[in-house]
mmCIF file of all heavy atoms in Angstrom:
data_model
loop_
_atom_site.group_PDB
_atom_site.id
_atom_site.type_symbol
_atom_site.label_atom_id
_atom_site.label_comp_id
_atom_site.label_asym_id
_atom_site.label_seq_id
_atom_site.Cartn_x
_atom_site.Cartn_y
_atom_site.Cartn_z
ATOM 1 N N THR A 133 -52.701 102.983 44.169
ATOM 2 C CA THR A 133 -52.128 104.314 44.396
ATOM 3 C C THR A 133 -51.480 104.872 43.136
ATOM 4 O O THR A 133 -51.596 106.062 42.847
ATOM 5 C CB THR A 133 -51.093 104.291 45.534
ATOM 6 O OG1 THR A 133 -50.103 103.271 45.258
ATOM 7 C CG2 THR A 133 -51.740 104.007 46.872
ATOM 8 N N THR A 136 -54.263 105.991 40.783
ATOM 9 C CA THR A 136 -54.951 107.202 41.246
ATOM 10 C C THR A 136 -54.098 108.453 41.086
ATOM 11 O O THR A 136 -54.577 109.487 40.618
ATOM 12 C CB THR A 136 -55.365 107.047 42.717
ATOM 13 O OG1 THR A 136 -56.208 105.891 42.850
ATOM 14 C CG2 THR A 136 -56.109 108.277 43.211
ATOM 15 N N TYR A 137 -52.835 108.379 41.473
ATOM 16 C CA TYR A 137 -52.014 109.588 41.542
ATOM 17 C C TYR A 137 -50.949 109.710 40.442
ATOM 18 O O TYR A 137 -50.683 110.812 39.962
ATOM 19 C CB TYR A 137 -51.324 109.661 42.915
ATOM 20 C CG TYR A 137 -52.289 109.714 44.067
ATOM 21 C CD1 TYR A 137 -52.544 108.583 44.835
ATOM 22 C CD2 TYR A 137 -52.978 110.883 44.363
ATOM 23 C CE1 TYR A 137 -53.451 108.621 45.891
ATOM 24 C CE2 TYR A 137 -53.887 110.931 45.411
ATOM 25 C CZ TYR A 137 -54.120 109.790 46.175
ATOM 26 O OH TYR A 137 -55.021 109.831 47.211
ATOM 27 N N ALA A 138 -50.330 108.591 40.042
ATOM 28 C CA ALA A 138 -49.204 108.683 39.105
ATOM 29 C C ALA A 138 -49.618 108.546 37.645
ATOM 30 O O ALA A 138 -49.147 109.304 36.790
ATOM 31 C CB ALA A 138 -48.161 107.612 39.445
ATOM 32 N N VAL A 155 -42.322 114.339 38.318
ATOM 33 C CA VAL A 155 -42.545 113.684 39.616
ATOM 34 C C VAL A 155 -43.174 114.672 40.600
ATOM 35 O O VAL A 155 -44.102 114.323 41.340
ATOM 36 C CB VAL A 155 -41.219 113.113 40.174
ATOM 37 C CG1 VAL A 155 -41.429 112.552 41.584
ATOM 38 C CG2 VAL A 155 -40.678 112.035 39.247
ATOM 39 N N LEU A 156 -42.682 115.890 40.600
ATOM 40 C CA LEU A 156 -43.247 116.914 41.495
ATOM 41 C C LEU A 156 -44.701 117.215 41.154
ATOM 42 O O LEU A 156 -45.514 117.492 42.043
ATOM 43 C CB LEU A 156 -42.417 118.193 41.401
ATOM 44 C CG LEU A 156 -41.072 118.178 42.135
ATOM 45 C CD1 LEU A 156 -40.281 119.443 41.821
ATOM 46 C CD2 LEU A 156 -41.281 118.040 43.645
ATOM 47 N N LYS A 157 -45.038 117.137 39.889
ATOM 48 C CA LYS A 157 -46.419 117.385 39.476
ATOM 49 C C LYS A 157 -47.359 116.349 40.072
ATOM 50 O O LYS A 157 -48.541 116.629 40.331
ATOM 51 C CB LYS A 157 -46.508 117.372 37.946
ATOM 52 C CG LYS A 157 -47.795 117.963 37.395
ATOM 53 C CD LYS A 157 -47.737 118.104 35.883
ATOM 54 C CE LYS A 157 -49.034 118.707 35.349
ATOM 55 N NZ LYS A 157 -49.009 118.841 33.869
ATOM 56 N N VAL A 158 -46.843 115.144 40.307
ATOM 57 C CA VAL A 158 -47.634 114.089 40.953
ATOM 58 C C VAL A 158 -47.733 114.335 42.455
ATOM 59 O O VAL A 158 -48.814 114.236 43.052
ATOM 60 C CB VAL A 158 -47.000 112.705 40.697
ATOM 61 C CG1 VAL A 158 -47.742 111.625 41.487
ATOM 62 C CG2 VAL A 158 -47.016 112.379 39.220
ATOM 63 N N LEU A 159 -46.612 114.660 43.085
ATOM 64 C CA LEU A 159 -46.525 114.692 44.549
ATOM 65 C C LEU A 159 -47.003 115.996 45.194
ATOM 66 O O LEU A 159 -47.706 115.959 46.215
ATOM 67 C CB LEU A 159 -45.087 114.415 44.983
ATOM 68 C CG LEU A 159 -44.469 113.084 44.534
ATOM 69 C CD1 LEU A 159 -43.012 113.007 45.004
ATOM 70 C CD2 LEU A 159 -45.257 111.907 45.077
ATOM 71 N N GLU A 160 -46.609 117.120 44.648
ATOM 72 C CA GLU A 160 -46.838 118.399 45.331
ATOM 73 C C GLU A 160 -48.299 118.710 45.678
ATOM 74 O O GLU A 160 -48.573 119.182 46.789
ATOM 75 C CB GLU A 160 -46.245 119.543 44.501
ATOM 76 C CG GLU A 160 -44.760 119.726 44.727
ATOM 77 C CD GLU A 160 -44.215 120.982 44.075
ATOM 78 O OE1 GLU A 160 -44.565 121.258 42.912
ATOM 79 O OE2 GLU A 160 -43.427 121.688 44.739
ATOM 80 N N PRO A 161 -49.261 118.447 44.786
ATOM 81 C CA PRO A 161 -50.639 118.838 45.118
ATOM 82 C C PRO A 161 -51.194 118.177 46.375
ATOM 83 O O PRO A 161 -52.072 118.745 47.031
ATOM 84 C CB PRO A 161 -51.427 118.387 43.872
ATOM 85 C CG PRO A 161 -50.425 118.376 42.771
ATOM 86 C CD PRO A 161 -49.159 117.920 43.414
ATOM 87 N N HIS A 162 -50.703 116.993 46.738
ATOM 88 C CA HIS A 162 -51.266 116.253 47.874
ATOM 89 C C HIS A 162 -50.256 116.019 48.991
ATOM 90 O O HIS A 162 -50.570 115.324 49.958
ATOM 91 C CB HIS A 162 -51.797 114.894 47.403
ATOM 92 C CG HIS A 162 -52.692 114.961 46.215
ATOM 93 N ND1 HIS A 162 -53.982 115.449 46.278
ATOM 94 C CD2 HIS A 162 -52.482 114.618 44.908
ATOM 95 C CE1 HIS A 162 -54.533 115.387 45.074
ATOM 96 N NE2 HIS A 162 -53.642 114.901 44.231
ATOM 97 N N TRP A 163 -49.049 116.557 48.851
ATOM 98 C CA TRP A 163 -47.977 116.211 49.782
ATOM 99 C C TRP A 163 -48.329 116.556 51.232
ATOM 100 O O TRP A 163 -48.067 115.773 52.153
ATOM 101 C CB TRP A 163 -46.680 116.898 49.383
ATOM 102 C CG TRP A 163 -45.501 116.464 50.211
ATOM 103 C CD1 TRP A 163 -44.888 117.139 51.223
ATOM 104 C CD2 TRP A 163 -44.804 115.211 50.098
ATOM 105 N NE1 TRP A 163 -43.859 116.405 51.746
ATOM 106 C CE2 TRP A 163 -43.780 115.220 51.071
ATOM 107 C CE3 TRP A 163 -44.951 114.096 49.275
ATOM 108 C CZ2 TRP A 163 -42.902 114.143 51.238
ATOM 109 C CZ3 TRP A 163 -44.076 113.026 49.433
ATOM 110 C CH2 TRP A 163 -43.073 113.056 50.407
ATOM 111 N N GLU A 164 -48.923 117.708 51.467
ATOM 112 C CA GLU A 164 -49.204 118.127 52.841
ATOM 113 C C GLU A 164 -50.545 117.612 53.347
ATOM 114 O O GLU A 164 -50.732 117.446 54.542
ATOM 115 C CB GLU A 164 -49.134 119.654 52.941
ATOM 116 C CG GLU A 164 -47.726 120.189 52.671
ATOM 117 C CD GLU A 164 -47.585 121.660 53.031
ATOM 118 O OE1 GLU A 164 -48.364 122.146 53.858
ATOM 119 O OE2 GLU A 164 -46.685 122.306 52.472
ATOM 120 N N SER A 165 -51.487 117.351 52.453
ATOM 121 C CA SER A 165 -52.810 116.882 52.887
ATOM 122 C C SER A 165 -52.882 115.352 52.991
ATOM 123 O O SER A 165 -53.667 114.820 53.783
ATOM 124 C CB SER A 165 -53.892 117.366 51.919
ATOM 125 O OG SER A 165 -53.657 116.885 50.607
ATOM 126 N N LYS A 166 -52.064 114.655 52.193
ATOM 127 C CA LYS A 166 -52.066 113.182 52.206
ATOM 128 C C LYS A 166 -50.624 112.688 52.261
ATOM 129 O O LYS A 166 -50.173 111.900 51.435
ATOM 130 C CB LYS A 166 -52.758 112.633 50.960
ATOM 131 C CG LYS A 166 -54.221 113.050 50.811
ATOM 132 C CD LYS A 166 -54.828 112.493 49.531
ATOM 133 C CE LYS A 166 -56.277 112.909 49.391
ATOM 134 N NZ LYS A 166 -56.876 112.389 48.121
ATOM 135 N N THR A 167 -49.911 113.152 53.268
ATOM 136 C CA THR A 167 -48.462 112.920 53.325
ATOM 137 C C THR A 167 -48.097 111.444 53.328
ATOM 138 O O THR A 167 -47.202 111.012 52.598
ATOM 139 C CB THR A 167 -47.863 113.600 54.568
ATOM 140 O OG1 THR A 167 -48.319 114.945 54.627
ATOM 141 C CG2 THR A 167 -46.347 113.573 54.514
ATOM 142 N N GLU A 168 -48.759 110.661 54.149
ATOM 143 C CA GLU A 168 -48.406 109.239 54.247
ATOM 144 C C GLU A 168 -48.636 108.529 52.909
ATOM 145 O O GLU A 168 -47.789 107.763 52.442
ATOM 146 C CB GLU A 168 -49.230 108.568 55.343
ATOM 147 C CG GLU A 168 -48.821 107.118 55.595
ATOM 148 C CD GLU A 168 -49.568 106.495 56.767
ATOM 149 O OE1 GLU A 168 -50.311 107.225 57.467
ATOM 150 O OE2 GLU A 168 -49.419 105.288 56.969
ATOM 151 N N THR A 169 -49.780 108.809 52.295
ATOM 152 C CA THR A 169 -50.083 108.187 50.997
ATOM 153 C C THR A 169 -49.079 108.622 49.940
ATOM 154 O O THR A 169 -48.551 107.797 49.177
ATOM 155 C CB THR A 169 -51.500 108.567 50.534
ATOM 156 O OG1 THR A 169 -52.445 108.072 51.487
ATOM 157 C CG2 THR A 169 -51.807 107.979 49.165
ATOM 158 N N MET A 170 -48.779 109.918 49.888
ATOM 159 C CA MET A 170 -47.872 110.415 48.858
ATOM 160 C C MET A 170 -46.438 109.962 49.093
ATOM 161 O O MET A 170 -45.655 109.833 48.152
ATOM 162 C CB MET A 170 -47.949 111.943 48.775
ATOM 163 C CG MET A 170 -49.332 112.477 48.410
ATOM 164 S SD MET A 170 -50.149 111.564 47.070
ATOM 165 C CE MET A 170 -49.083 111.950 45.696
ATOM 166 N N THR A 171 -46.088 109.713 50.350
ATOM 167 C CA THR A 171 -44.768 109.152 50.640
ATOM 168 C C THR A 171 -44.647 107.779 49.999
ATOM 169 O O THR A 171 -43.616 107.433 49.406
ATOM 170 C CB THR A 171 -44.540 109.048 52.156
ATOM 171 O OG1 THR A 171 -44.581 110.368 52.726
ATOM 172 C CG2 THR A 171 -43.198 108.415 52.470
ATOM 173 N N ARG A 172 -45.716 106.990 50.113
ATOM 174 C CA ARG A 172 -45.708 105.662 49.492
ATOM 175 C C ARG A 172 -45.705 105.782 47.964
ATOM 176 O O ARG A 172 -45.026 105.019 47.271
ATOM 177 C CB ARG A 172 -46.931 104.859 49.943
ATOM 178 C CG ARG A 172 -46.890 104.469 51.414
ATOM 179 C CD ARG A 172 -47.919 103.394 51.710
ATOM 180 N NE ARG A 172 -47.887 102.994 53.099
ATOM 181 C CZ ARG A 172 -48.737 103.419 54.029
ATOM 182 N NH1 ARG A 172 -49.702 104.259 53.687
ATOM 183 N NH2 ARG A 172 -48.643 103.011 55.278
ATOM 184 N N VAL A 173 -46.458 106.740 47.435
ATOM 185 C CA VAL A 173 -46.481 106.944 45.980
ATOM 186 C C VAL A 173 -45.075 107.294 45.491
ATOM 187 O O VAL A 173 -44.615 106.770 44.469
ATOM 188 C CB VAL A 173 -47.478 108.058 45.603
ATOM 189 C CG1 VAL A 173 -47.340 108.427 44.118
ATOM 190 C CG2 VAL A 173 -48.910 107.607 45.876
ATOM 191 N N ARG A 174 -44.391 108.169 46.214
ATOM 192 C CA ARG A 174 -43.025 108.541 45.820
ATOM 193 C C ARG A 174 -42.121 107.312 45.797
ATOM 194 O O ARG A 174 -41.348 107.096 44.855
ATOM 195 C CB ARG A 174 -42.446 109.576 46.794
ATOM 196 C CG ARG A 174 -41.045 110.055 46.391
ATOM 197 C CD ARG A 174 -40.242 110.559 47.568
ATOM 198 N NE ARG A 174 -39.931 109.526 48.541
ATOM 199 C CZ ARG A 174 -39.011 108.589 48.371
ATOM 200 N NH1 ARG A 174 -38.307 108.520 47.251
ATOM 201 N NH2 ARG A 174 -38.773 107.692 49.316
ATOM 202 N N GLN A 175 -42.214 106.493 46.845
ATOM 203 C CA GLN A 175 -41.379 105.292 46.921
ATOM 204 C C GLN A 175 -41.674 104.351 45.761
ATOM 205 O O GLN A 175 -40.762 103.729 45.192
ATOM 206 C CB GLN A 175 -41.619 104.581 48.251
ATOM 207 C CG GLN A 175 -41.131 105.362 49.457
ATOM 208 C CD GLN A 175 -41.626 104.775 50.765
ATOM 209 O OE1 GLN A 175 -42.583 103.990 50.806
ATOM 210 N NE2 GLN A 175 -40.985 105.138 51.869
ATOM 211 N N ARG A 176 -42.944 104.267 45.387
ATOM 212 C CA ARG A 176 -43.334 103.356 44.313
ATOM 213 C C ARG A 176 -42.910 103.884 42.945
ATOM 214 O O ARG A 176 -42.495 103.111 42.081
ATOM 215 C CB ARG A 176 -44.841 103.101 44.391
ATOM 216 C CG ARG A 176 -45.176 102.247 45.605
ATOM 217 C CD ARG A 176 -46.630 102.269 46.031
ATOM 218 N NE ARG A 176 -46.763 101.550 47.298
ATOM 219 C CZ ARG A 176 -47.868 101.489 48.027
ATOM 220 N NH1 ARG A 176 -48.959 102.122 47.625
ATOM 221 N NH2 ARG A 176 -47.885 100.818 49.160
ATOM 222 N N ILE A 177 -42.979 105.196 42.765
ATOM 223 C CA ILE A 177 -42.489 105.788 41.513
ATOM 224 C C ILE A 177 -40.987 105.551 41.410
ATOM 225 O O ILE A 177 -40.464 105.181 40.349
ATOM 226 C CB ILE A 177 -42.801 107.295 41.445
ATOM 227 C CG1 ILE A 177 -44.313 107.523 41.349
ATOM 228 C CG2 ILE A 177 -42.088 107.936 40.252
ATOM 229 C CD1 ILE A 177 -44.712 108.985 41.432
ATOM 230 N N TRP A 198 -35.426 110.420 47.198
ATOM 231 C CA TRP A 198 -35.670 111.385 48.273
ATOM 232 C C TRP A 198 -34.388 112.080 48.715
ATOM 233 O O TRP A 198 -34.257 113.283 48.627
ATOM 234 C CB TRP A 198 -36.338 110.699 49.469
ATOM 235 C CG TRP A 198 -36.553 111.630 50.633
ATOM 236 C CD1 TRP A 198 -35.858 111.684 51.803
ATOM 237 C CD2 TRP A 198 -37.543 112.679 50.719
ATOM 238 N NE1 TRP A 198 -36.337 112.686 52.612
ATOM 239 C CE2 TRP A 198 -37.364 113.315 51.969
ATOM 240 C CE3 TRP A 198 -38.542 113.130 49.861
ATOM 241 C CZ2 TRP A 198 -38.170 114.371 52.383
ATOM 242 C CZ3 TRP A 198 -39.339 114.187 50.264
ATOM 243 C CH2 TRP A 198 -39.142 114.796 51.516
ATOM 244 N N LEU A 202 -35.417 115.119 46.319
ATOM 245 C CA LEU A 202 -36.715 115.680 46.703
ATOM 246 C C LEU A 202 -36.710 116.258 48.115
ATOM 247 O O LEU A 202 -37.540 117.118 48.436
ATOM 248 C CB LEU A 202 -37.798 114.602 46.582
ATOM 249 C CG LEU A 202 -38.189 114.228 45.143
ATOM 250 C CD1 LEU A 202 -39.107 113.018 45.140
ATOM 251 C CD2 LEU A 202 -38.862 115.397 44.444
ATOM 252 N N LEU A 206 -39.386 119.220 48.936
ATOM 253 C CA LEU A 206 -40.619 118.944 49.676
ATOM 254 C C LEU A 206 -40.367 118.931 51.181
ATOM 255 O O LEU A 206 -39.286 118.541 51.625
ATOM 256 C CB LEU A 206 -41.188 117.582 49.248
ATOM 257 C CG LEU A 206 -41.605 117.457 47.782
ATOM 258 C CD1 LEU A 206 -41.960 116.009 47.468
ATOM 259 C CD2 LEU A 206 -42.770 118.381 47.469
ATOM 260 N N PRO A 209 -41.694 114.551 55.661
ATOM 261 C CA PRO A 209 -43.003 113.996 56.041
ATOM 262 C C PRO A 209 -43.323 114.115 57.520
ATOM 263 O O PRO A 209 -44.452 114.437 57.893
ATOM 264 C CB PRO A 209 -42.893 112.528 55.613
ATOM 265 C CG PRO A 209 -41.944 112.556 54.465
ATOM 266 C CD PRO A 209 -40.939 113.616 54.815
#
Side-chain angles (χ1 to χ4, degrees):
T133 54
T136 302
Y137 300 102
V155 175
L156 284 173
K157 195 172 180 181
V158 174
L159 302 177
E160 277 189 316
H162 310 287
W163 186 256
E164 295 191 23
S165 60
K166 299 179 180 179
T167 311
E168 186 175 353
T169 298
M170 299 317 294
T171 298
R172 291 195 179 100
V173 171
R174 183 205 65 75
Q175 293 168 342
R176 289 162 187 173
I177 293 174
W198 177 255
L202 287 172
L206 297 172

